[in-house]
Amino acid sequence: MGELLSFQIFINEPVELLNLSLNAKAVLPEAAVLMAMLGTLLVDLAGENISARWSPPICYAGLGSALILLTMQWNGEIQESFLGAFIADNLAIAFRGVIVLSTLISLLISWRYADQNGSPIGEFAAILLASTLGAMLLCGSTDLVSVFVSLETLSVASYLLAGYLKRDSRSSEAALKYLLVGSAAAAVFLYGASLLYGVSGSTNLKEIGITLLSAPTPLSALALVFVLSTVAFKIAAVPFHQWTPDVYEGSPTPVVAFLSVGSKAAGFALAIRILVGCFSAFDTQWKLLFTVLAVLSMSLGNVVALAQKSMKRMLAYSSIGQAGFVMIGLVCGTEDGFAAMVLYMAAYLFMNLGAFACIILFSIRTGSDQISDYAGLYQKDPLITLGLSLCLLSLGGIPPMLGFFGKIYLFFAGWADGQYLLVSVGLVTSVISIYYYISVIKMMVVTEPKEASDVVKAYPSIEWSLPGMPSLKVALIFCVLVTAIGGIISNPLFDFADSAVNGTPLLREAITLASKGSIG
């Protein structure tokens, strides 16, 4: 009897230790998304009609549950999972929340688009949820292995989404370009990760950071260059941006909407985890490199956007410029800088997806993506005109829109930290961006009736009763309202951003070290 009892204790202790190490509570939001993905795949097997009927509520239930679970984790006990390879701190929760919301809104604006293009809704939703799952895991990954697995889950699903319109040659071309460039970026990351493992003997980011701090080597600096190039590719920073315009133009518009926010948010979360948590020994070097990337991204992105004729290509270059603005907060490395990053990504979620909702609605009704075809649109569709105008003004940073407060916070953080070059370039390029945003608004509003485009003259009657149209309308109005009044009542967003920084030990340590260094 005693031997049996001792055997049970011997068995139970490792099981309890394993349960404690895996800690499923930390990844419950991801579990909700995973269950929704499996649910959409199962109903898709039952046929397209059943899939079209049940996929939307399954997705809403899964993403809604994920948001609720993330809210319950907020400001709670920091939890680790997967044997320490994942952490659910406030930074991870904030970026995961942005990603889940971006997926939810992207799905709301995609049902009608997918139905009109004859694409299976269940498959589309399942792949988008898989991409979301990878992006969410990437936000909290603290190990090179979990970072790579999450990164590839996000990337492979994104390649499939980019080429989802099989009968559209532009979509296939976009997927091929994305796949080739993304595969090269993954190979570069793997090489950098192997160097880090060789130098430190560990795959844990914190342990690698301690090793590099005590004994920095030239190989570590080489690994920094490789890893930084992968991060720059994910956030579409110049000169790693070449894939962005072609992929944005050729991919289905709802996919572009998700990539512009969800994928970019995951990229910035990865940048913070690796650069701040792992390469603190090379703090000066990576900040210098990111300063160059930020200046190039803000300059090239906003200048080249001036010459674009396609609305999606214009927003592609605009997103490159927006990434440059967010990098200001990362280069600062201060409490205000990190908080400004979180705040701006939350603001960018609503104003960018609101703009894409308007573009999708116009595309559904006209089949056009050309900026010139928007001429005189206010005569036929005041909702799109008003919604797109407000979102573009917010992207340009016009007060009192939400985007204005996001940019002011970034510029304030940069100026307070002495990043005068970045702030000056940001202010100049913001003025440039306002020019091409207002050019679109002017074309929609100021054009005389007789000068309206042929597409607008042949504009179809507006029908909101078609399948998928009510959800698109809800998403559009919601994003436009948050964009328009979010700046006026922005205190909750400021509190949210501050809590994201204060509830993240990694950022608190980095801020403390930076302040000691400046005092010393």
Side-chain angles (χ1 to χ4, degrees):
M1 187 67 180
E3 291 179 357
L4 180 62
L5 182 61
S6 61
F7 178 75
Q8 287 178 340
I9 294 174
F10 176 76
I11 292 294
N12 288 337
E13 282 184 355
V15 170
E16 291 176 4
L17 183 62
L18 183 62
N19 288 336
L20 185 64
S21 299
L22 291 176
N23 193 14
K25 291 181 181 179
V27 289
L28 281 178
E30 284 77 9
V33 174
L34 178 62
M35 293 304 294
M37 183 187 76
L38 294 175
T40 54
L41 286 174
L42 288 175
V43 297
D44 188 60
L45 295 175
E48 288 190 18
N49 292 333
I50 295 177
S51 177
R53 179 180 175 185
W54 288 103
S55 290
I58 290 174
C59 291
Y60 300 153
L63 293 170
S65 300
L67 283 174
I68 293 170
L69 291 167
L70 286 170
T71 304
M72 292 170 64
Q73 289 183 353
W74 186 252
N75 282 331
E77 182 184 353
I78 295 174
Q79 302 176 18
E80 292 186 356
S81 185
F82 299 133
L83 304 174
F86 180 90
I87 188 169
D89 53 19
N90 274 9
L91 180 72
I93 296 168
F95 277 103
R96 287 151 80 200
V98 169
I99 290 165
V100 171
L101 266 177
S102 70
T103 304
L104 181 58
I105 296 173
S106 297
L107 285 171
L108 286 171
I109 63 181
S110 67
W111 303 127
R112 181 59 194 165
Y113 185 93
D115 182 66
Q116 185 166 302
N117 285 279
S119 302
I121 289 176
E123 287 181 12
F124 177 82
I127 299 172
L128 186 58
L129 290 173
S131 186
T132 304
L133 182 62
M136 291 175 69
L137 289 172
L138 188 60
C139 293
S141 294
T142 56
D143 189 278
L144 290 175
V145 176
S146 61
V147 166
F148 182 72
V149 171
S150 305
L151 189 62
E152 286 307 288
T153 302
L154 168 61
S155 299
V156 172
S158 299
Y159 306 151
L160 294 173
L161 289 170
Y164 198 71
L165 298 180
K166 304 177 186 67
R167 291 183 287 272
D168 189 341
S169 58
R170 295 182 306 164
S171 181
S172 301
E173 180 185 352
L176 181 60
K177 289 180 178 178
Y178 199 9
L179 171 64
L180 293 174
V181 181
S183 300
V188 168
F189 176 81
L190 271 181
Y191 189 62
S194 66
L195 291 177
L196 289 176
Y197 178 71
V199 168
S200 65
S202 173
T203 58
N204 184 273
L205 296 183
K206 186 174 182 179
E207 292 180 10
I208 294 172
I210 294 171
T211 303
L212 297 187
L213 200 59
S214 59
T217 63
L219 274 180
S220 306
L222 184 61
L224 168 63
V225 173
F226 286 137
V227 170
L228 190 142
S229 63
T230 304
V231 170
F233 164 79
K234 210 63 200 169
I235 62 178
V238 177
F240 303 94
H241 69 288
Q242 295 93 337
W243 61 275
T244 311
D246 292 334
V247 170
Y248 274 43
E249 185 177 26
S251 301
T253 312
V255 174
V256 179
F258 172 76
L259 292 177
S260 67
V261 179
S263 182
K264 199 177 290 290
F268 276 111
L270 172 64
I272 294 173
R273 291 285 176 204
I274 287 190
L275 297 176
V276 177
C278 186
F279 286 102
S280 56
F282 296 91
D283 190 70
T284 304
Q285 288 82 356
W286 73 254
K287 284 185 177 180
L288 175 61
L289 291 172
F290 252 85
T291 300
V292 175
L293 293 179
V295 170
L296 290 175
S297 298
M298 289 186 286
S299 303
L300 186 139
N302 287 300
V303 170
V304 178
L306 290 168
Q308 300 308 307
K309 306 298 181 185
S310 162
M311 186 67 80
K312 285 202 289 186
R313 282 186 78 89
M314 185 198 78
L315 286 180
Y317 282 105
S318 166
S319 74
I320 294 170
Q322 301 289 343
F325 294 134
V326 180
M327 280 189 271
I328 295 175
L330 185 59
V331 172
C332 292
T334 60
E335 183 174 352
D336 286 335
F338 291 128
M341 284 183 68
V342 176
L343 175 67
Y344 198 77
M345 285 308 304
Y348 186 64
L349 160 71
F350 297 107
M351 54 192 181
N352 204 52
L353 290 184
F356 272 108
C358 296
I359 292 170
I360 288 174
L361 190 52
F362 184 79
S363 174
I364 287 171
R365 289 173 177 163
T366 65
S368 175
D369 178 50
Q370 297 301 305
I371 295 175
S372 58
D373 289 335
Y374 282 74
L377 183 61
Y378 81 98
Q379 306 162 33
K380 298 293 183 72
D381 203 327
L383 178 62
I384 293 182
T385 304
L386 177 62
L388 187 56
S389 298
L390 291 175
C391 290
L392 292 180
L393 289 174
S394 184
L395 285 168
I398 300 294
M401 303 296 174
L402 184 57
F404 168 76
F405 290 93
K407 281 189 179 179
I408 284 293
Y409 199 3
L410 279 169
F411 294 156
F412 169 78
W415 195 266
D417 190 52
Q419 305 295 335
Y420 304 122
L421 173 63
L422 286 177
V423 175
S424 300
V425 174
L427 288 170
V428 172
T429 52
S430 289
V431 174
I432 295 173
S433 71
I434 290 170
Y435 176 80
Y436 62 77
Y437 289 137
I438 289 183
S439 296
V440 177
I441 298 170
K442 180 181 177 183
M443 185 167 290
M444 290 189 295
V445 177
V446 180
T447 306
E448 295 293 330
K450 61 182 179 181
E451 296 177 359
S453 66
D454 293 336
V455 169
V456 169
K457 289 178 181 176
Y459 204 76
S461 57
I462 299 173
E463 296 184 25
W464 291 108
S465 58
L466 296 172
M469 291 296 281
S471 64
L472 200 162
K473 187 177 183 180
V474 168
L476 193 160
I477 293 174
F478 174 69
C479 288
V480 170
L481 281 176
V482 174
T483 300
I485 67 174
I488 301 171
I489 51 174
S490 56
N491 274 342
L493 273 179
F494 280 99
D495 294 338
F496 165 74
D498 290 336
S499 296
V501 176
N502 292 325
T504 306
L506 169 68
L507 298 185
R508 297 305 313 167
E509 291 174 10
I511 293 164
T512 303
L513 287 173
S515 62
K516 286 181 179 178
S518 62
I519 292 171

